[in-house]
Amino acid sequence: MITTNGLTKVYRSQDREVRALDDVDLHVRQGEVFGVVGTSGAGKSTLIRCVNLLERPTSGTVTVDGVELTALSGSEQRAGRELRAARQRIGMVFQHFNLLSSRTVQDNVELPLEIIGLDRRERRRKAAELLDLVGLADKARSYPGQLSGGQKQRVGIARALAGDPKVLLSDEATSALDPETTRSILRLLRELNQQLGLTVLLITHEMEVIKSVCDSAALMRGGRVVEAGQLTDLLADGHSRIARDLFPLGDFGTGGDPERTVLEITFQGDAPAQPFVSQLARTYQIDINILGAAVETIAGRLVGRMRVELPGSHTDNVVPIGYLRQQGLQVDVLDLSNGAAA
């Protein structure tokens, strides 16, 4: 649904050049919620603005719903019309709501419908439907100043849906909200994704957002995508930085004792319900030290990571490790010299 190839954005001034995006390749599948996570300055917001061409890339291509937007130029009348039509299929939700304070909630949602020339009666009907969809039917005559932050963001989402988009872009839509309101907005985005078949691309600096709502994710650093994939695949990869940030187990158990073997175990689906630790201990008569564990529901599946310590060297524990893998578990032997999975 959304594909970027070699996407690069360079900002130039008289004495300086900033490469905000550096050869970014990204693929977002139709109907999924895809999160892009990274610290401030990683290039996340520039990426999302290039996806709908609010920022025109320096080089590379952007394709949305089969239309290569970067091939359309606003300088020619026909291409300009094509670009505007393509943008109508892309909704955008902003961090700071961007509502007009002098217009009611209803009128704010109607604004994009006015711009495309829809008649007043149809605008009213459509806006009422959207406000009901986001749970604000009773706030139609209120003004933005009378709303909470979460309610303002719901208005922003309703407005973004006015053009019946196939893609919804969210630029740090929850970063200005408290935790409980953040959770409610994320639940709403997931519901809209499922009810309307929307493809959602969201930008965030919070791993909790990725954990609670996303099917796939990408990690950005220095204008580049350094890791991307479906969350279930990333969590099964012992070297995944996203997985380690989602399930931080700390440094406990990485001291480097050659007479101990430290394992990191990733489990998904039905595996968390299985008592594999106690079964392993009984089967091989070994003492197992649990150093850390975390279990969450990710992309609708129960997923977890656990760090355990077994007595003896790696060679001594080949059979117990094989037993765990036979149970369908992802097992990585921790390299105690650097704390990474071997």
Side-chain angles (χ1 to χ4, degrees):
M1 178 59 78
I2 304 173
T3 301
T4 72
N5 287 308
L7 199 64
T8 299
K9 178 64 180 179
V10 179
Y11 295 99
R12 294 184 175 91
S13 62
Q14 192 171 13
D15 57 352
R16 192 182 178 200
E17 179 178 290
V18 176
R19 188 171 290 266
L21 295 177
D22 188 5
D23 196 28
V24 172
D25 294 338
L26 200 68
H27 179 65
V28 181
R29 298 172 302 157
Q30 182 174 352
E32 75 173 342
V33 179
F34 193 108
V36 178
V37 65
T39 57
S40 296
K44 309 183 303 295
S45 292
T46 302
L47 171 63
I48 205 169
R49 291 174 65 85
C50 283
V51 167
N52 62 3
L53 259 63
L54 288 176
E55 295 272 2
R56 185 165 282 276
T58 304
S59 61
T61 63
V62 176
T63 302
V64 178
D65 193 23
V67 178
E68 187 182 328
L69 302 187
T70 40
L72 306 176
S73 171
S75 60
E76 299 178 8
Q77 187 174 8
R78 178 180 175 182
R81 287 197 303 268
E82 292 173 346
L83 180 57
R84 286 191 294 273
R87 280 177 172 158
Q88 288 175 16
R89 296 193 290 271
I90 305 172
M92 183 80 172
V93 184
F94 299 92
Q95 177 180 359
H96 297 295
F97 322 128
N98 289 5
L99 303 179
L100 298 177
S101 60
S102 61
R103 298 181 66 128
T104 65
V105 165
Q106 173 99 17
D107 291 338
N108 267 281
V109 178
E110 286 188 33
L111 181 59
L113 301 174
E114 290 180 33
I115 294 173
I116 64 175
L118 210 63
D119 66 71
R120 180 179 176 83
R121 181 177 178 179
E122 189 60 20
R123 293 200 309 265
R124 290 284 171 181
R125 182 196 65 78
K126 182 71 172 178
E129 286 181 358
L130 292 171
L131 288 173
D132 184 57
L133 185 64
V134 300
L136 289 181
D138 60 334
K139 299 294 184 181
R141 296 181 180 278
S142 299
Y143 286 86
Q146 299 171 302
L147 304 180
S148 67
Q151 289 171 333
K152 290 176 183 177
Q153 195 56 279
R154 286 174 181 266
V155 176
I157 292 171
R159 181 185 57 192
L161 297 175
D164 296 319
K166 294 184 177 181
V167 170
L168 186 65
L169 307 180
S170 169
D171 187 7
E172 299 275 12
T174 60
S175 63
L177 306 176
D178 63 80
E180 182 56 39
T181 305
T182 291
R183 286 190 287 271
S184 72
I185 294 298
L186 294 176
R187 284 195 297 269
L188 175 61
L189 290 175
R190 173 54 89 178
E191 289 167 4
L192 295 173
N193 159 255
Q194 294 172 342
Q195 292 176 19
L196 306 179
L198 278 175
T199 300
V200 181
L201 175 61
L202 62 85
I203 298 299
T204 183
H205 62 274
E206 301 173 280
M207 275 295 174
E208 284 298 319
V209 172
I210 301 296
K211 184 185 295 185
S212 62
V213 75
C214 293
D215 302 301
S216 300
L219 175 64
M220 288 194 72
R221 290 180 180 171
R224 300 182 66 89
V225 171
V226 297
E227 186 176 35
Q230 296 182 53
L231 283 186
T232 50
D233 293 338
L234 293 173
L235 291 169
D237 181 357
H239 300 277
S240 168
R241 282 167 281 192
I242 290 178
R244 291 180 179 277
D245 286 342
L246 285 173
F247 293 97
L249 298 179
D251 296 325
F252 188 60
T254 60
D257 184 349
E259 296 304 315
R260 313 292 287 180
T261 300
V262 177
L263 307 178
E264 285 200 355
I265 304 169
T266 303
F267 39 90
Q268 303 185 39
D270 296 331
Q274 304 303 316
F276 56 84
V277 173
S278 60
Q279 288 174 353
L280 179 67
R282 287 196 304 269
T283 301
Y284 295 98
Q285 298 294 303
I286 55 177
D287 294 324
I288 302 172
N289 186 17
I290 299 176
L291 304 176
V295 180
E296 298 280 354
T297 299
I298 305 290
R301 301 183 66 189
L302 200 61
V303 178
R305 290 173 76 87
M306 177 182 290
R307 183 177 296 161
V308 301
E309 186 179 64
L310 308 183
S313 67
H314 182 193
T315 303
D316 298 330
N317 287 290
V318 169
V319 174
I321 291 170
Y323 170 84
L324 290 172
R325 288 172 175 160
Q326 287 174 357
Q327 310 310 306
L329 304 170
Q330 172 74 29
V331 181
D332 294 291
V333 181
L334 202 65
D335 180 355
L336 298 179
S337 64
N338 59 18

